Amino acid sequence: MVDILAENLSGKAVMSSDGTELGDLYNITMNLESGELNHLLVSPHEQLRAERVDFEFDEMGRLRVPVANVQAVKDYIVVAR
């Protein structure tokens, strides 16, 4: 697997595996003790309807996408729904 620096991911578009554009990557959360990555925080696109999303929202209205759902990182970050 190719290593990707987190700083290169900031602002990258996030898309679900069914082609729905979810938004742009805001940040990545991690467990500071173990170093394990937890969630992608995604700033949703304005036209994204909440009922079309299977992910939780945080208190700031960002999507919390489990890192385990990431399938690919290229032009988009592709996540499984």
Side-chain angles (χ1 to χ4, degrees):
M1 177 177 244
V2 176
D3 290 336
I4 299 174
L5 295 175
E7 68 185 31
N8 295 334
L9 296 177
S10 182
K12 189 172 275 290
V14 180
M15 176 185 290
S16 69
S17 55
D18 67 0
T20 302
E21 290 191 28
L22 301 176
D24 299 316
L25 182 65
Y26 175 77
N27 210 343
I28 301 171
T29 64
M30 68 181 290
N31 180 315
L32 293 177
E33 292 181 11
S34 69
E36 180 180 11
L37 299 177
N38 293 328
H39 293 92
L40 303 181
L41 296 180
V42 178
S43 298
H45 288 163
E46 289 182 17
Q47 68 273 18
L48 182 67
R49 295 189 323 247
E51 64 269 8
R52 293 204 62 206
V53 179
D54 299 329
F55 304 113
E56 297 176 7
F57 287 86
D58 71 4
E59 63 279 351
M60 299 299 290
R62 295 181 289 251
L63 296 168
R64 291 173 39 113
V65 179
V67 168
N69 287 44
V70 175
Q71 294 182 326
V73 178
K74 295 199 189 264
D75 293 335
Y76 287 89
I77 298 173
V78 180
V79 297
R81 295 184 86 175

